[in-house]
Amino acid sequence: MQGIWIYSEDSTIAKQLLTAGLNLKEAMNQPLGVITLDAGQAKSLIDSGADKVVVLKGENNWPESYAEAIGKFAVQEETGVLLVGGTLRGKDLAAKVAVSLDAALVTDAQSIKAANGSLETTRLMYGGLAVCTEQVSLPAVLTVPPSNFEEAKPVEGRKGETSTIDVSEFDQRISVNEVCPIVRQGVDITTAGKIVCVGRGISQKEDLKIAEELAQAMGAEIACTRGIAEDYHWLPEERYIGISGQKVKPEVYISIGVSGQVQHVAGIRDSKIIVAIDSNEKAPIFEAADYGIVGDLYEVVPMLTAALGKK
Amino acid sequence: MPRILVCYKWVLDEQDIKINRDNLSLDTSKAKYKIGEYDRNAIEEGVLLAEKLGGSVDVLTFGTAAVKQSLKDVLSRGPEKAYFIGDPLAEKADASVTAAVLAAAIRKIGPYDIILCAEGSTDEYNQQVAPRLAKMLDIPAVTFVNKLSLEGNQVQAARKLGDCTEVLHVEGAAVVSVMPEINKPRIPSLKQVLAAAKKPSEELKLTDLQLDEKALTPKVIKLSIRGFVMNRKNIIHKELSQTDNVAKLVAELAKEGVY
Ligand SMILES: Cc1cc2nc3c(=O)[nH]c(=O)nc-3n(C[C@H](O)[C@H](O)[C@H](O)COP(=O)(O)OP(=O)(O)OC[C@H]3O[C@@H](n4cnc5c(N)ncnc54)[C@H](O)[C@@H]3O)c2cc1C
C-alpha cells in the first residue's frame, strides 16, 4: 500500500489535514497528494506541502457526487491512507470511498500515527465518556474533525505537480435543489471568555431573560444544550455546546438548568472554571463542576446577577 | 405502498457506564441495553411514513446474542416485523463488517423502497453505516436528513449541513440517515407493548448470508478504551439559604479571578 491522499470540499480544512498528512509522510515515507474540487487552490495546496494536487473537474456542484470518482481514483492509485475533512459532506463521501477501496474508516480521528504497517488512531466513544485507541489496517480512510489540526504553513515556491481529472458520470437518480446558505449571526462562542449556558431547566423561552441578565452582569455570551437549540429552537444552532455542537474553552462557564450528560460535558472540558446551578443535587453536572449551587434557578440566578452586578 | 426498513442497534446505555478511577477502565457491569437514541428517531420516521402512506415497516439489527432482548421494545414502537442477526462476531465488528452484514441481510429479505438509519449509533457514533450500505446496495445515500417525504417513487429529503440547507430528490430506492430533530419518538403505549409480543420476528444466521471471510474481518481493531476523567474542585453549596450559597460562590469566583 502506498500514497497518502487528502480530500475536503473545504480547502481550509484540506490545509489543516496537510499538517497531519506531512507527519504521516515522514513516518511512512510516502508521497502526499491532495484531491480538490477547487482548481484555484492548487498552488496554495502545493505551497502548504502537497507533492501532487489532483483537481476533479465536473459539471456537478454537489460535492457528494464526486465520491464515485474519488473512489475510482483511490483504487487506481493504490492509496494507503486517505484523510477526509470531517464535515457531514466529508463523512458521507468518506464512507462510500471506503467501500470502493474496501478500506477501514475511522470517524473523527483525533490523533493519527503510523505504527508497523498500520495506523493507530484515537477517537471519542460513548458520547465522549471514553477515548478509544484503535489499530487501523491499510488502506485506511480517516475523517478528521475540522480545526483538529492547525493549517500547514505555506512555503512560497514549493514544487509539486497538478493534474486534472474530468468527471462526467454522475448518479442520475439524485437531484439537488433549494440550496440555501445558513447565515450565521452574532458571536462565535468557541472563542468566548465567559459563557452562561442554559439547559432545559428553563421552562419557557421568555425566561431566557434570566440568563441574559446574568450574562450581561458578567460580560458573558449565552450558550445552550442541544435540546434548547434543536428541539425548542430558542437559540441558534451554533450556540449549542457538546460533542455534536461547539467545543468551548472559556475562563468561566456557568450552567443553569443543565443536567450535564456526557455528550454535553464533552464540549466544556477545556473550560478553566466550571460552575453549575441546578435543582437536582444528583445531576451529573456537579461532578463536572468546580463550584455549584443546588437550587431553583429562578431563585438563585437573579440573586447571583444582582450580587455580580453590584461589584 | 412503500416497503420500509429501519436498521437499529442495541447499545449499552452510556449513562450507566462508570469509570474506574484507578485505571480508567470502563465498568459496564451495571449498564443496561437500550435502542440507540437516534435509532428511535429512525424507527419513528418509518412508522410515520407508513401511517401516512400505508405500506409496511420492518426493522433489522445486527448484534450479539443480546439483541434478542431488543425485539419486544423495538416492535412496541410500531414496526410489524423484526429481523435480527445475533452473533458473537458483532462484539468485534467495525462499521465495514456491520454494513456488509446488514447489506447481505437486506439482499435476502428485501427489496425495500426506503431504508432508514440513524445518523449514528449512540455508542460508536461512526456515522458511516448508512452511506456504506447505500454504496454496497448500489442505491443513493441521502444522509443527515431533517425532513423526509415519499411521493410515489420519489424520496424527498431536506438536509442541514452546518453552513447550508438543501433538498434532495431521489428516484427509486434510497438509504436515508436521519438527524434527531426530524421527529419526537412516541413513548410506546401499554397496548403497543402488549401487541409487540404477538408480532413476528425472524433470526437470520450469519452463515446463511454468503459473506466471505474478508467481509467479516474487521479492519479496525480496538486496542484500548479509557474513560475520560476531569479533575474538578467539586465544591457544591447546598445550604438552605440561597443568600449564603450565592455569597460563597461570588467570593469563589472573585478568588479565581474570573470575576
Ligand atoms: C449521540 C448524542 C449526541 C448528543 N450531543 C449533544 C450535544 O452535543 N450537546 C448537548 O447539549 N446534548 C447532546 N446530546 C443530548 C444529551 O444527552 C442530553 O440529553 C442533553 O445535553 C440534556 O440537555 P439539558 O441538560 O438541557 O436537559 P435535561 O437533561 O432535561 O436537564 C435539565 C436540568 O434542569 C434541571 N432543572 C429543572 N428545573 C430547574 C429549575 N427550576 N432550577 C434549576 N434546575 C432545574 C434538572 O434538574 C436537570 O438537571 C446528545 C445525545 C446523544 C444521544
Side-chain angles (χ1 to χ4, degrees), chain A residues 159-238:
Chain A
K159 293 261 170 328
E161 42 176 287
T162 303
S163 57
T164 301
I165 296 179
D166 286 304
V167 183
S168 54
E169 270 175 49
F170 296 101
D171 194 332
Q172 298 302 323
R173 298 169 293 187
I174 305 173
S175 60
V176 184
N177 357 54
E178 296 169 49
V179 181
C180 301
I182 298 172
V183 182
R184 302 264 175 240
Q185 340 156 304
V187 289
D188 178 3
I189 60 163
T190 62
T191 57
K194 294 177 182 173
I195 287 178
V196 170
C197 180
V198 297
R200 288 190 300 204
I202 296 266
S203 50
Q204 51 178 346
K205 187 174 180 190
E206 291 66 47
D207 300 344
L208 284 178
K209 211 163 149 256
I210 297 177
E212 279 156 8
E213 283 164 358
L214 175 61
Q216 206 166 25
M218 299 177 48
E221 296 299 338
I222 294 274
C224 62
T225 59
R226 181 167 190 157
I228 297 287
E230 294 283 12
D231 297 340
Y232 301 165
H233 304 288
W234 291 350
L235 286 169
E237 191 198 332
E238 67 268 21

Side-chain angles (χ1 to χ4, degrees), chain B residues 200-248:
Chain B
S201 58
E202 185 179 331
E203 177 164 13
L204 305 170
K205 289 277 174 217
L206 205 52
T207 42
D208 293 340
L209 294 180
Q210 282 150 357
L211 286 161
D212 59 19
E213 186 66 27
K214 194 154 177 255
L216 295 176
T217 307
K219 300 173 171 72
V220 181
I221 297 165
K222 289 197 168 61
L223 299 175
S224 72
I225 302 180
R226 309 187 74 199
F228 201 112
V229 282
M230 270 202 298
N231 287 317
R232 293 284 170 181
K233 298 197 179 79
N234 303 121
I235 300 171
I236 311 301
H237 306 296
K238 339 176 178 173
E239 300 304 322
L240 271 181
S241 159
Q242 292 300 0
T243 318
D244 291 354
N245 291 339
V246 168
K248 282 182 201 152

Side-chain angles (χ1 to χ4, degrees), chain A residues 246-267:
Chain A
Q246 308 284 356
K247 294 181 189 52
V248 297
K249 40 182 190 313
E251 288 291 298
V252 58
Y253 157 102
I254 301 192
S255 76
I256 57 186
V258 172
S259 61
Q261 299 305 334
V262 59
Q263 294 91 353
H264 179 74
V265 170

Side-chain angles (χ1 to χ4, degrees), chain A residues 199-200 225-226 241 243-244 259 263-264 278-279 296-297, chain B residues 38:
Chain A
R200 288 190 300 204
T225 59
R226 181 167 190 157
I241 297 175
I243 190 151
S244 22
S259 61
Q263 294 91 353
H264 179 74
D278 197 284
S279 52
D296 184 348
L297 70 92
Chain B
Y38 296 171

Side-chain angles (χ1 to χ4, degrees), chain A:
Chain A
M1 287 303 159
Q2 48 189 330
I4 304 157
W5 288 92
I6 286 168
Y7 166 79
S8 178
E9 76 282 355
D10 179 334
S11 295
T12 305
I13 300 175
K15 286 174 196 164
Q16 295 166 2
L17 298 189
L18 276 168
T19 298
L22 286 164
N23 288 338
L24 284 178
K25 172 181 161 160
E26 191 169 312
M28 298 171 71
N29 204 11
Q30 293 290 346
L32 174 63
V34 177
I35 304 163
T36 182
L37 304 178
D38 187 353
Q41 289 289 331
K43 181 179 175 302
S44 78
L45 289 164
I46 288 171
D47 287 346
S48 296
D51 298 318
K52 290 184 216 168
V53 172
V54 172
V55 180
L56 297 184
K57 215 172 108 211
E59 295 287 289
N60 202 315
N61 288 327
W62 193 52
E64 284 88 324
S65 61
Y66 292 84
E68 192 69 36
I70 294 175
K72 250 190 212 144
F73 177 77
V75 170
Q76 174 199 318
E77 288 288 310
E78 297 180 30
T79 297
V81 180
L82 173 66
L83 305 178
V84 177
T87 58
L88 295 183
R89 293 193 190 284
K91 286 176 177 175
D92 176 303
L93 181 137
K96 295 173 195 159
V97 174
V99 174
S100 299
L101 258 183
D102 194 12
L105 169 54
V106 174
T107 303
D108 285 333
Q110 296 190 319
S111 71
I112 307 160
K113 65 175 192 218
N116 312 321
S118 54
L119 296 182
E120 202 175 295
T121 58
T122 57
R123 68 184 178 99
L124 297 179
M125 244 185 99
Y126 294 117
L129 185 79
V131 179
C132 178
T133 304
E134 291 172 319
Q135 181 186 321
V136 191
S137 61
L138 303 186
V141 182
L142 314 179
T143 60
V144 179
S147 306
N148 196 60
F149 295 95
E150 302 266 334
E151 274 181 51
K153 294 247 160 11
V155 176
E156 194 61 39
R158 253 190 184 138
K159 293 261 170 328
E161 42 176 287
T162 303
S163 57
T164 301
I165 296 179
D166 286 304
V167 183
S168 54
E169 270 175 49
F170 296 101
D171 194 332
Q172 298 302 323
R173 298 169 293 187
I174 305 173
S175 60
V176 184
N177 357 54
E178 296 169 49
V179 181
C180 301
I182 298 172
V183 182
R184 302 264 175 240
Q185 340 156 304
V187 289
D188 178 3
I189 60 163
T190 62
T191 57
K194 294 177 182 173
I195 287 178
V196 170
C197 180
V198 297
R200 288 190 300 204
I202 296 266
S203 50
Q204 51 178 346
K205 187 174 180 190
E206 291 66 47
D207 300 344
L208 284 178
K209 211 163 149 256
I210 297 177
E212 279 156 8
E213 283 164 358
L214 175 61
Q216 206 166 25
M218 299 177 48
E221 296 299 338
I222 294 274
C224 62
T225 59
R226 181 167 190 157
I228 297 287
E230 294 283 12
D231 297 340
Y232 301 165
H233 304 288
W234 291 350
L235 286 169
E237 191 198 332
E238 67 268 21
R239 294 249 179 185
Y240 90 79
I241 297 175
I243 190 151
S244 22
Q246 308 284 356
K247 294 181 189 52
V248 297
K249 40 182 190 313
E251 288 291 298
V252 58
Y253 157 102
I254 301 192
S255 76
I256 57 186
V258 172
S259 61
Q261 299 305 334
V262 59
Q263 294 91 353
H264 179 74
V265 170
I268 63 171
R269 281 177 179 150
D270 295 333
S271 306
K272 190 158 157 263
I273 303 289
I274 295 178
V275 182
I277 298 168
D278 197 284
S279 52
N280 176 8
E281 192 181 333
K282 298 213 169 69
I285 192 73
F286 289 122
E287 282 165 41
D290 294 293
Y291 303 102
I293 294 181
V294 177
D296 184 348
L297 70 92
Y298 287 91
E299 183 188 353
V300 176
V301 175
M303 289 169 73
L304 184 61
T305 306
L308 293 177
K310 255 190 232 130
K311 280 217 180 173

